Amino acid sequence: MLTTATREDLTDESGEKRSSQSFWWRIKPSALLSSQSGPPLPVLWSSSCLLVLLLFFLLLLSSGPPPLLPPPPVFWSSSSSSSSSCLLVLLLFFLLLLSSGPPLPPVFWSSSSSSSSSCLLVLLLFFLLLLSSGPPPPPVFWSSSSSSSSSCLLVLLLFFLLLLSSGPPPLLPPPPVFWSSSSSSSSSCLLVLLLFFLLLLSSGPPPLLPPPPVFWSSSSSSSSSCLLVLLLFFLLLLSSGPPPPPVLWSSSSSCWGALDPHIAPLCSPSDFMVKVVEVADSSQQKTLRGHEAPVLSVTFDPKDEFLASASCDGSVVVWDIEEQTRVISWPLLKKTNDVSNATSLCRLAFQPSSGKFLAVPVETKVHLYERGSWEHAATLSDDLLTQPINVVSWSPCGRFLAAGAVGGSLMVWDVNSKLCVERQKHEKGFSVCSLAWHPSGRQVAYTDTEGCLGLLDGLTTSISAIDQAPTKKPAKDFNDLFDDDDDDQLMDEGLSDSHSPARKPATRDEDDDDLVIPSTGRVKNRGAILDDENSLDTASLRFGEDKPGDEEDAGRALGPVAPPPLLPSRPAYEGPLPSPPQKAFQPGSTPAHLTHRFMMWNSVGIVRGYNDEQDNAIDVEFHDSAVHHAMHLTNSLGHTMADISQEAVLLACPSTEELASKLQCLHFSSWDTNKEWMVDMPNGEDVKALCLGQGWAAVATSALMVRLFSIGGVQREVFSLPGPVVCMAGHGEQLLVVYHRATGFDGDQALGVQLLQLSRRRRRVLSGEPLPLSHKSYLSWLGFTGEGTPCFVDSEGVVRMLNRALANTWTPVCNTRDTCKSKSDHYWVVGVHENPQQLRCIPCKGSRYPPTLPRPALAILPFKLPLCQTTTEKGQMEEQFWRSALFHNHYCFLSTSGFEVDEDAQTRSEKEKQELLMKMFALSCRLEREFRCVELAELMTQNVVPLAIRYASRSRRMALAQRLSEIAMEKTIQSQEEEPEEEDEDLRYSGIRRSSEFGEAELAGGRRASRLQEEEAEFRGQRSAPSEEEEEETQTGTNVNPFAKETGSPVTPSVTAVGKAGRANPFKVSGAGKSSASAQPRATNILDSMTSGRKSAPLSGPAAKASKSPVLKPLAPRPKTKTQSTLLQMATSKTKKAEEDKEPPADLPKQAEAPPPASENQRPKTGFQLWLEENRKSITADGPDLDETEVIREAMGRFRALSAEERLAWTDRAKGHDGDAADGKKRKRAEEERSAAAAEDTAHDAKKKKPLESASRLSAFAFNQN
Amino acid sequence: MDPSEVEFLAEKELVKIVPNFSLDKIYLIGGDLGPFNPGLPVDVPLWLALNFKQRQKCRIIPPDWMDVEKLEEIRELEKREEAFTPVPSPYYMELTKLLLNHASDNIPKADEIRTLVKDIWDTRIAKLRLSADSFISQQEAHAKLDNLTLLEINTIREFLLNSLNCMFKLRSNLQAGSSGRTFTDY
């Protein structure tokens, strides 16, 4: 069904009907024109006049409308018009008109003297002249009465010959005048006529039909020669086929109509009315009058009841065809006076089949009017449309409405949802003047005002699918649909029985909904793409790594799983949607699609990549120019990833079509001449992430593998990752890998993290725990702090750090977004340092990453744990405390992994922590929160608790002080228990060593025994006479009398005493004690057990052991007398008293045996001397009759026999004695304290009593002080 | 006071540098500086910054105000206002001069900044001369000038004082002469 007819259609169709459709004519010389169809009737008109008129009309018809129509001659209607001379003038006049611009003929052309022979000569020349300039006009005497003279005929003959020779003349010469003269029947004239017709015949069908000769109607026409001419004339007519219809016929451009198989409405712009014509028999003409201006367009409704028309008077009118009345009229359009001035063609359209709506283009909108009620049902509009709509057209299914506008815009609306589903622009911006849908609904053809035909393609298959759908059986029908569209739906279907009758109706409904949905597939796709682009725009920012190509991938990856939420067509799944997995990236790099980017910015240096027209290069710059000078490399391989360390620069490029993915290492710290190596990845394996550690490099590939290389290029281990890598970081011997653990939902990422220790003792610290990202965020930075604690930053700006002290959990330490001024500002993290606490980052205004130029400046952010109420003093201090605790974890880690630790810093940090605790304690005290005070005190180390006690007592909080003292006691006990444990471990190691040394299997019991020996050493040492049996028992692992062995190791007390010192004298030894001592005790303990173990074996003389005990003793008790003034001393002395009750015999002799303090000066200076001191007795026991030199010699021999370690230990000890002269007092005091403690250990019942007493005494003392 | 002395004073101003070496704190009479971590901005006095810069040991980060937009704003304000406007730094001229002479490669749009600062300087000096002129012509006893920098004061000081002295002499001579004349007349 055609909604708009083309111009040719119109003429062809209506051409047959022209006689009956006279109202088609704009100009109506109907009588004249109707006579045109056949040859003229001879008698009807005077022949010559007819000839002239014919010529006149031929002239009008040919060559289009002349610019100025000459007025017909006066005698046109005069009675004398039929005189031959007048005819001559007229002929000339027309000849003049016909020929465009020929040279003027000579004057005598029309003079009476023109027939003289000389004149003829001139004329001859004139014709020759004309020969070159196209067809000449015939001479004047053509029509003169003398033209029939023989000489004139000669000239005419020449003239025709001339015409013949010059090929078909572009312009046909008019027939000679004597055509219609009475003398035309003379034979010579006939000869000329004959020639004339031959000429006409030779030039093919003449564009203009020559008029029949004059004698056509003359009485003399029956002469044979005349008949010959007539015959020729008809031959001519026959050869030229039927005469063409007048040009005028098809030039009525403003006529417009709509055709329908039966009737045609026709409107005439000039007479303001619409006519309806039955096409079949052209009967039943109906005229619809009422428009007050030319009609713009008409349309039938599909049921033939109504007819709508738009007019220049601004009205759109619906007519009832039968009644020929106006049903309704809307003044919608702009008023204009003519069709040519109308802004819009305003082509109306009824919805096909049902005709439910009438679409009326009104400026930039389309109004829909409902059939019947003729109420304004809806308006379709589009914001992007700025120019008036010319034409609207319904899709065959009636669901979509296409519109073409003046500026060349083409829209397709979905009528149900009123949404614009397609929007196109004519590429040249010509106005669209007609639209037609392909019956399948997939294409729209359109034409523009410049005569171009266009096709709008790709309007999707969904329409056809929808169209077909209803015809199919229901069950099949949804299967098809779902197959087409939607996996989710299939899944959905799969869950419930898709063919169950109960289900069917519902699904049908969904189907219907689906059908209602406007979208064409293309548009659907576009929506999806748009959505993806949006999300990925941000994503590319976020990920910082997305390439345009990747985005598509991501979109595709997303597409099938997650239908874009835009589309309501998916009936079913409303649960969480999977989020697109984030791309692999290098922490500290900006997105790869930038032409100038940071490929890496870390604490070592900066790698910049330039990839523009002039240059594809990499700049490497080191923060510390001492590491290496800056480098400039040409990036011929197209590296996209980089890492930089103190040793090397690692670069990698993805694979291209011909080249494999490559890893390049610039190992600038190498001491040989080759500073560079390169490795190709296996086929199909792309480097996705890389990192450098100390002495190694790691590369994660698309094959889910991590490959390790040594920094020199040796391939090392390869292991698989459980998922696609996201990024990696290396530091020292630690490798941190983050990968996709699973699919995240609702914008979350499901990442897993592995932390590997690549040191000699390989182990996995974190084995794939989920990485705790903020909600709906992704990883944006991963790395280690300067001190080696793993750390990461997510896109929400939250920095999290591994808390090794809390079972390797992640603690948020900073939120960079808190410090951002505006929402679009971000901090681009480049490094984290724990000591000093620094978050090094680059502030980026309005973006997530910085530009390379101008060179961004580093900023330092403080850390802040997200604790509650940090505005209050309490909250602040709590935050500080926990932050301090967290940021000092690395000391612990470093020391356990065997690195040297800056002990000063460590003690300082410890002190800081305790100070904070003290402050918090004080604050709680002030707030009268005693319970809280106790809780805080529990966090304190044991040497700070007494301070707290003092504070509490000063502020007169007796109950608090009491409780605190209990805590203090618990702490001391704890520390005592902890120490043996530590020793135990040490001993285990030493035990192993020992057993290997001596080649004898040491029983665990034996080691335990030796530990116990240490604990109880002094106490037992102070006891009376050990026996040899006891010694033997010790050897077999029973725990009887270690004393004999202990005698051999005089330093033992000092070793264990260090911890005690901390406990015992908090006011003097603040803080440092425990940690600083940790290394020393261990070594000595080992030594002790070793020496004891060793000695016990070879030296079996009980006398020796017995005699050795005095050597030990002088060191132990001496300080007792010196340090009486301290609080500690009070405690110990009191303890002593308590002890005395139980063991007076042990204590008292010891006191008595105390040597004079002067012995300090005589302390042995070397390890050997020390050893000799201790072992002299045994030597002398072995050889009682040796003199001094022999003793020394013997001793030297034995000393040499000792293992190197032991000797070293002795030396150390000697030095310790030497250097720690100042510490001596302290140590000895501690030693003595130790002895007291040891005493308690054995006396089990006394154990509890003593700390209680001492603590209460502590508090009592504090009160006294107060 | 010599301009070089003013410059010397200006060299105490702190500027931010990014060192490319590592150094512990250095303890100086003027205060402790550092520690210097490569790549980490640190505040040092100008003299040290220039010294490091000359030895290619650091990159100087220009002060905040040394920015084309901000300077343009200041210039406009300076032109608009009758009185002296506050300058971004009491040593703005000296800092600009020193930094642009020694570290122009670290300062984006160095030439524009030079021009702008010179403009500001010229405007201010012109104002200063104008006010000095009106001060003298109106024979005021004292005047108050806010927001002048040391260098600006220094440039006008000598001339102003000398001219005031001269005028004083001339005036006193005139008075003395006239009075003397009158005196002699009597």
Side-chain angles (χ1 to χ4, degrees):
Chain A
M1 190 191 290
L2 270 171
T3 51
T4 54
T6 64
R7 200 171 286 164
E8 279 125 71
D9 285 345
L10 203 65
T11 48
D12 280 349
E13 294 268 340
S14 53
E16 299 161 25
K17 304 282 167 195
R18 62 184 182 273
S19 57
S20 58
Q21 293 171 20
S22 57
F23 49 85
W24 269 85
W25 304 112
R26 201 176 184 181
I27 318 160
K28 294 190 269 189
S30 50
L32 177 70
L33 281 169
S34 61
S35 70
Q36 186 62 41
S37 53
L41 297 170
V43 222
L44 196 61
W45 293 82
S46 84
S47 60
S48 52
C49 285
L50 187 66
L51 180 71
V52 172
L53 280 172
L54 263 172
L55 270 171
F56 175 67
F57 285 112
L58 281 174
L59 177 77
L60 280 177
L61 292 173
S62 74
S63 75
L68 200 89
L69 201 73
V74 184
F75 49 86
W76 190 266
S77 53
S78 74
S79 55
S80 64
S81 63
S82 55
S83 74
S84 61
S85 55
C86 287
L87 285 177
L88 178 71
V89 173
L90 279 172
L91 261 170
L92 273 172
F93 173 67
F94 288 121
L95 282 173
L96 188 77
L97 284 175
L98 278 172
S99 69
S100 57
L104 280 172
V107 183
F108 52 86
W109 192 265
S110 54
S111 72
S112 53
S113 63
S114 64
S115 54
S116 70
S117 60
S118 54
C119 287
L120 282 177
L121 186 68
V122 173
L123 279 173
L124 210 72
L125 279 170
F126 175 66
F127 282 122
L128 285 173
L129 187 78
L130 284 175
L131 195 74
S132 60
S133 66
V140 176
F141 52 77
W142 192 267
S143 54
S144 72
S145 53
S146 63
S147 63
S148 54
S149 71
S150 61
S151 54
C152 287
L153 281 177
L154 182 71
V155 173
L156 280 174
L157 253 165
L158 273 171
F159 173 67
F160 282 116
L161 283 173
L162 184 81
L163 284 176
L164 274 174
S165 72
S166 66
L171 205 87
L172 200 74
V177 176
F178 50 86
W179 189 269
S180 55
S181 72
S182 54
S183 64
S184 64
S185 54
S186 72
S187 62
S188 54
C189 288
L190 282 177
L191 183 68
V192 173
L193 279 173
L194 211 73
L195 275 170
F196 175 67
F197 282 117
L198 282 174
L199 181 78
L200 285 176
L201 275 173
S202 74
S203 65
L208 294 178
L209 197 74
V214 177
F215 51 77
W216 191 268
S217 55
S218 73
S219 53
S220 64
S221 63
S222 55
S223 74
S224 62
S225 53
C226 287
L227 281 179
L228 183 69
V229 172
L230 280 174
L231 206 74
L232 277 170
F233 177 70
F234 283 115
L235 281 174
L236 184 76
L237 281 177
L238 276 174
S239 72
S240 66
V247 180
L248 187 69
W249 195 265
S250 57
S251 66
S252 59
S253 60
S254 53
C255 274
W256 196 251
L259 278 183
D260 143 319
H262 308 296
I263 48 175
L266 299 160
C267 54
S268 160
S270 50
D271 58 11
F272 309 162
M273 58 188 178
V274 178
K275 292 188 180 182
V276 182
V277 180
E278 182 72 45
V279 177
D281 53 0
S282 66
S283 63
Q284 294 193 354
Q285 289 190 16
K286 296 194 175 86
T287 309
L288 308 171
R289 291 170 198 276
H291 281 302
E292 292 158 359
V295 176
L296 281 168
S297 76
V298 287
T299 185
F300 273 116
D301 103 87
K303 295 178 180 167
D304 290 349
E305 283 176 41
F306 299 106
L307 186 147
S309 64
S311 163
C312 289
D313 61 8
S315 62
V316 174
V317 178
V318 178
W319 310 87
D320 188 313
I321 297 172
E322 281 308 306
E323 311 273 313
Q324 301 189 33
T325 53
R326 193 195 302 213
V327 178
I328 192 162
S329 171
W330 302 285
L332 295 173
L333 313 174
K334 272 187 191 160
K335 288 187 182 179
T336 51
N337 56 3
D338 192 50
V339 176
S340 58
N341 295 330
T343 53
S344 155
L345 295 176
C346 195
R347 297 275 181 266
L348 314 171
F350 270 100
Q351 195 173 23
S353 67
S354 66
K356 193 180 170 197
F357 291 111
L358 168 66
V360 181
V362 180
E363 292 299 311
T364 62
K365 298 187 172 87
V366 178
H367 289 191
L368 295 181
Y369 293 93
E370 198 167 6
R371 182 199 173 89
S373 68
W374 304 114
E375 277 173 5
H376 185 185
T379 302
L380 305 177
S381 62
D382 188 67
D383 296 339
L384 297 179
L385 190 60
T386 52
Q387 283 173 295
I389 294 173
N390 255 350
V391 49
V392 292
S393 172
W394 290 87
S395 71
C397 60
R399 193 165 308 123
F400 303 102
L401 184 74
V406 169
S409 301
L410 288 163
M411 326 266 139
V412 179
W413 278 283
D414 170 53
V415 176
N416 298 33
S417 68
K418 320 278 187 289
L419 291 175
C420 183
V421 294
E422 178 72 62
R423 204 178 283 130
Q424 288 292 327
K425 181 87 181 166
H426 190 295
E427 54 186 5
K428 287 180 181 147
F430 297 147
S431 298
V432 177
C433 61
S434 182
L435 284 170
W437 286 78
H438 190 274
S440 74
R442 286 177 215 180
Q443 297 171 330
V444 174
Y446 62 91
T447 55
D448 61 41
T449 49
E450 300 297 311
C452 301
L453 174 70
L455 194 63
L456 191 61
D457 202 355
L459 293 173
T460 181
T461 56
S462 73
I463 291 176
S464 61
I466 290 164
D467 284 343
Q468 288 158 12
T471 63
K472 292 184 182 173
K473 283 179 185 175
K476 217 179 169 187
D477 157 25
F478 2 108
N479 280 346
D480 281 356
L481 270 176
F482 299 147
D483 273 343
D484 284 350
D485 286 1
D486 199 339
D487 294 340
D488 286 345
Q489 193 130 48
L490 263 187
M491 281 158 54
D492 208 30
E493 288 287 306
L495 290 176
S496 62
D497 183 8
S498 62
H499 299 282
S500 72
R503 175 87 181 144
K504 262 180 208 168
T507 340
R508 282 293 298 215
D509 284 347
E510 285 168 0
D511 264 3
D512 289 345
D513 287 347
D514 214 340
L515 295 185
V516 168
I517 286 315
S519 44
T520 55
R522 157 99 171 269
V523 171
K524 202 182 269 178
N525 284 342
R526 200 164 66 157
I529 290 162
L530 272 177
D531 183 50
D532 285 349
E533 275 169 359
N534 287 341
S535 64
L536 277 158
D537 259 351
T538 53
S540 69
L541 279 178
R542 286 188 270 162
F543 297 160
E545 283 294 303
D546 278 355
K547 297 170 207 159
D550 288 344
E551 282 174 21
E552 260 176 52
D553 285 347
R556 232 174 284 139
L558 176 62
V561 216
L566 261 192
L567 298 176
S569 62
R570 308 295 144 89
Y573 187 63
E574 286 178 356
L577 300 173
S579 44
Q582 89 175 93
K583 300 278 150 209
F585 70 99
Q586 283 297 104
S589 68
T590 53
H593 61 79
L594 303 172
T595 51
H596 291 199
R597 60 182 285 243
F598 290 110
M599 293 169 81
M600 175 56 71
W601 183 323
N602 61 19
S603 53
V604 177
I606 303 170
V607 183
R608 269 170 300 199
Y610 301 98
N611 186 8
D612 48 19
E613 303 83 45
Q614 327 146 1
D615 209 7
N616 192 354
I618 293 174
D619 260 351
V620 183
E621 187 187 314
F622 295 87
H623 293 315
D624 191 343
S625 56
V627 176
H628 197 261
H629 56 80
M631 292 187 273
H632 183 83
L633 320 164
T634 51
N635 188 8
S636 50
L637 289 169
H639 291 302
T640 57
M641 287 159 268
D643 196 4
I644 182 170
S645 78
Q646 307 273 1
E647 301 172 309
V649 178
L650 195 64
L651 299 162
C653 60
S655 62
T656 57
E657 273 166 25
E658 54 277 12
L659 292 172
S661 178
K662 281 182 170 53
L663 179 71
Q664 187 180 12
C665 180
L666 308 174
H667 182 208
F668 53 77
S669 69
S670 160
W671 45 262
D672 66 5
T673 49
N674 282 327
K675 307 272 185 202
E676 194 178 330
W677 53 269
M678 200 181 287
V679 172
D680 278 12
M681 293 294 124
N683 259 350
E685 213 174 311
D686 264 11
V687 176
K688 289 285 177 193
L690 50 84
C691 69
L692 277 169
Q694 199 172 19
W696 53 269
V699 170
T701 65
S702 53
L704 304 189
M705 269 195 274
V706 175
R707 297 170 178 277
L708 296 177
F709 297 84
S710 76
I711 199 70
V714 179
Q715 298 204 41
R716 282 172 56 183
E717 295 90 333
V718 176
F719 62 91
S720 282
L721 279 179
V725 71
V726 176
C727 61
M728 295 203 298
H731 179 277
E733 287 165 334
Q734 303 176 83
L735 170 64
L736 189 64
V737 189
V738 171
Y739 55 89
H740 286 288
R741 182 170 48 87
T743 306
F745 283 88
D746 278 347
D748 290 341
Q749 300 286 335
L751 304 181
V753 59
Q754 288 195 356
L755 176 62
L756 292 106
Q757 199 86 34
L758 300 175
S759 55
R760 252 164 295 149
R761 272 169 60 209
R762 313 258 156 128
R763 60 199 184 94
R764 199 151 69 169
V765 183
L766 296 176
S767 51
E769 278 87 352
L771 195 67
L773 295 166
S774 306
H775 188 50
K776 287 191 196 298
S777 71
Y778 52 86
L779 189 64
S780 62
W781 188 83
L782 177 79
F784 287 89
T785 63
E787 287 74 20
T789 309
C791 214
F792 73 89
V793 184
D794 63 28
S795 58
E796 294 294 307
V798 180
V799 185
R800 289 185 179 81
M801 208 165 89
L802 189 73
N803 189 351
R804 296 190 201 259
L806 191 63
N808 287 337
T809 49
W810 295 90
T811 307
V813 291
C814 180
N815 189 347
T816 58
R817 300 305 302 275
D818 288 348
T819 39
C820 288
K821 285 191 192 83
S822 105
K823 220 177 175 185
S824 56
D825 290 355
H826 292 86
Y827 282 96
W828 193 65
V829 176
V830 295
V832 182
H833 287 255
E834 288 178 81
N835 186 30
Q837 295 180 15
Q838 288 177 336
L839 179 65
R840 298 182 185 177
C841 47
I842 295 169
C844 307
K845 260 204 173 141
S847 73
R848 285 194 172 266
Y849 43 80
T852 50
L853 280 174
R855 198 189 161 99
L858 210 58
I860 288 169
L861 290 185
F863 292 104
K864 187 167 184 256
L865 296 191
L867 257 57
C868 304
Q869 288 186 315
T870 45
T871 48
T872 64
E873 200 181 353
K874 170 175 167 283
Q876 269 170 16
M877 285 195 290
E878 283 163 348
E879 194 269 334
Q880 279 176 23
F881 172 71
W882 286 112
R883 179 152 48 84
S884 163
L886 180 64
F887 278 85
H888 295 127
N889 280 339
H890 68 271
Y891 291 118
C892 199
F893 165 72
L894 286 177
S895 58
T896 52
S897 53
F899 291 99
E900 61 180 31
V901 179
D902 180 3
E903 290 192 4
D904 281 351
Q906 195 177 354
T907 48
R908 238 181 294 129
S909 71
E910 186 62 30
K911 203 173 155 195
E912 177 195 318
K913 244 161 62 179
Q914 297 303 326
E915 272 170 13
L916 281 167
L917 275 176
M918 231 14 243
K919 274 191 207 163
M920 285 153 76
F921 179 86
L923 182 70
S924 307
C925 260
R926 258 184 283 141
L927 297 173
E928 314 216 330
R929 294 273 185 182
E930 298 197 357
F931 190 86
R932 201 179 277 168
C933 288
V934 173
E935 283 173 332
L936 288 168
E938 273 164 2
L939 293 171
M940 294 177 186
T941 53
Q942 56 175 348
N943 37 13
V944 185
V945 178
L947 278 176
I949 295 172
R950 192 189 280 180
Y951 186 92
S953 51
R954 272 199 191 149
S955 49
R956 306 222 169 265
R957 294 182 199 281
M958 293 294 285
L960 178 61
Q962 189 62 40
R963 283 188 186 278
L964 288 178
S965 56
E966 280 168 29
I967 290 172
M969 264 178 284
E970 275 167 33
K971 282 194 181 290
T972 52
I973 293 162
Q974 270 172 15
S975 64
Q976 279 165 16
E977 280 165 1
E978 275 162 20
E979 266 173 51
E981 273 167 32
E982 275 173 32
E983 285 163 20
D984 194 17
E985 269 189 24
D986 293 329
L987 279 170
R988 232 162 261 160
Y989 288 121
S990 66
I992 292 163
R993 228 176 298 157
R994 211 174 358 166
S995 62
S996 61
E997 244 176 50
F998 295 104
E1000 55 182 58
E1002 277 269 313
L1003 290 171
R1007 291 199 294 275
R1008 193 161 52 94
S1010 61
R1011 172 168 61 82
L1012 288 168
Q1013 286 158 19
E1014 281 169 6
E1015 282 174 11
E1016 298 166 15
E1018 275 172 282
F1019 169 56
R1020 296 194 183 187
Q1022 288 153 18
R1023 277 191 183 173
S1024 53
S1027 66
E1028 196 176 330
E1029 294 97 293
E1030 282 171 337
E1031 169 67 26
E1032 291 298 325
E1033 276 168 341
T1034 317
Q1035 281 298 310
T1036 53
T1038 49
N1039 179 10
V1040 186
N1041 193 357
F1043 166 72
K1045 271 182 283 173
E1046 278 313 307
T1047 52
S1049 56
V1051 202
T1052 311
S1054 77
V1055 166
T1056 39
V1058 183
K1060 301 285 178 187
R1063 171 187 67 117
N1065 192 354
F1067 305 113
K1068 289 197 172 169
V1069 194
S1070 71
K1074 206 174 168 185
S1075 50
S1076 60
S1078 61
Q1080 206 186 357
R1082 218 168 279 157
T1084 45
N1085 281 343
I1086 294 163
L1087 245 184
D1088 290 341
S1089 50
M1090 271 161 64
T1091 48
S1092 60
R1094 194 190 149 152
K1095 252 170 252 153
S1096 56
L1099 306 178
S1100 52
K1105 267 137 224 172
S1107 63
K1108 243 177 257 170
S1109 55
V1111 181
L1112 169 69
K1113 275 174 185 166
L1115 294 172
R1118 182 183 45 80
K1120 240 183 233 172
T1121 52
K1122 291 197 78 181
T1123 55
Q1124 287 295 337
S1125 60
T1126 61
L1127 163 69
L1128 155 85
Q1129 197 50 51
M1130 272 168 63
T1132 45
S1133 58
K1134 294 247 168 94
T1135 315
K1136 287 268 151 56
K1137 274 172 211 156
E1139 298 291 320
E1140 273 167 30
D1141 299 337
K1142 283 153 204 153
E1143 312 200 45
D1147 227 359
L1148 284 173
K1150 197 167 73 178
Q1151 296 267 10
E1153 279 168 355
S1159 68
E1160 209 172 346
N1161 298 333
Q1162 294 152 11
R1163 201 180 296 133
K1165 294 291 186 234
T1166 67
F1168 171 67
Q1169 281 169 329
L1170 200 67
W1171 184 82
L1172 178 63
E1173 189 109 332
E1174 281 186 40
N1175 292 298
R1176 178 187 287 271
K1177 288 293 182 310
S1178 68
I1179 294 167
T1180 47
D1182 284 353
D1185 47 357
L1186 297 174
D1187 64 22
E1188 184 60 23
T1189 49
E1190 275 167 334
V1191 167
I1192 290 173
R1193 196 174 302 148
E1194 172 69 20
M1196 282 174 86
R1198 287 193 191 190
F1199 189 70
R1200 280 202 200 104
L1202 290 172
S1203 73
E1205 280 170 271
E1206 279 173 301
R1207 270 183 304 204
L1208 196 66
W1210 279 108
T1211 320
D1212 284 346
R1213 216 180 294 176
K1215 274 181 199 154
H1217 272 287
D1218 216 18
D1220 293 353
D1223 288 347
K1225 254 192 263 176
K1226 200 191 298 170
R1227 195 186 303 142
K1228 273 157 213 154
R1229 192 189 328 128
E1231 188 182 328
E1232 160 251 35
E1233 176 66 7
R1234 158 84 186 169
S1235 70
E1240 286 156 35
D1241 284 347
T1242 37
H1244 293 290
D1245 47 349
K1247 200 186 208 170
K1248 288 274 158 58
K1249 224 180 279 173
K1250 174 242 157 185
L1252 259 170
E1253 275 177 304
S1254 73
S1256 58
R1257 250 175 252 127
L1258 266 173
S1259 55
F1261 173 77
F1263 285 128
N1264 290 338
Q1265 291 283 314
N1266 202 24
Chain B
M1 208 175 184
D2 210 320
S4 60
E5 287 172 280
V6 182
E7 190 183 279
F8 179 79
L9 291 177
E11 281 179 352
K12 276 189 191 160
E13 283 290 288
L14 290 183
V15 290
K16 248 188 184 49
I17 61 163
V18 179
N20 60 12
F21 59 94
S22 176
L23 189 70
D24 258 347
K25 264 192 177 176
I26 48 177
Y27 304 97
L28 304 173
I29 297 176
D32 301 346
L33 298 177
F36 299 92
N37 290 309
L40 210 60
V42 62
D43 280 325
V44 295
L46 185 62
W47 61 266
L48 188 62
L50 293 177
N51 185 293
F52 281 146
K53 179 69 196 171
Q54 280 167 347
R55 289 191 283 152
Q56 299 190 330
K57 290 274 185 198
C58 76
R59 197 159 53 81
I60 296 180
I61 298 176
D64 286 338
W65 54 265
M66 207 175 274
D67 172 73
V68 172
E69 277 177 33
K70 282 182 186 153
L71 287 176
E72 266 171 359
E73 237 170 68
I74 292 169
R75 182 184 65 178
E76 292 315 307
L77 190 68
E78 189 67 59
K79 279 183 179 168
R80 216 170 38 241
E81 292 287 315
E82 195 70 14
F84 293 94
T85 55
V87 282
S89 155
Y91 298 101
Y92 75 101
M93 192 63 196
E94 301 91 310
L95 277 174
T96 314
K97 195 110 189 142
L98 287 169
L99 286 179
L100 288 178
N101 282 350
H102 294 100
S104 56
D105 53 332
N106 292 149
I107 298 167
K109 300 183 181 173
D111 290 340
E112 284 179 52
I113 286 170
R114 200 191 294 272
T115 321
L116 282 168
V117 173
K118 190 82 173 78
D119 281 356
I120 295 170
W121 169 263
D122 289 346
T123 319
R124 291 172 69 88
I125 292 297
K127 273 185 195 176
L128 197 56
R129 290 203 186 107
L130 217 65
S131 58
D133 179 52
S134 63
F135 174 70
I136 290 167
S137 61
Q138 289 170 18
Q139 302 206 349
E140 296 285 343
H142 61 88
K144 184 183 170 190
L145 294 173
D146 287 338
N147 297 326
L148 272 183
T149 66
L150 186 56
L151 191 64
E152 287 159 352
I153 295 168
N154 214 38
T155 46
I156 197 102
R157 176 184 287 134
E158 204 168 345
F159 166 74
L160 189 64
L161 291 182
N162 283 342
S163 51
L164 283 175
N165 279 337
C166 269
M167 285 175 67
F168 175 72
K169 267 183 204 162
L170 289 171
R171 283 212 183 101
S172 53
N173 276 347
L174 192 68
Q175 279 170 358
S178 63
S179 62
R181 219 178 15 253
T182 49
F183 189 73
T184 47
D185 281 349
Y186 286 112

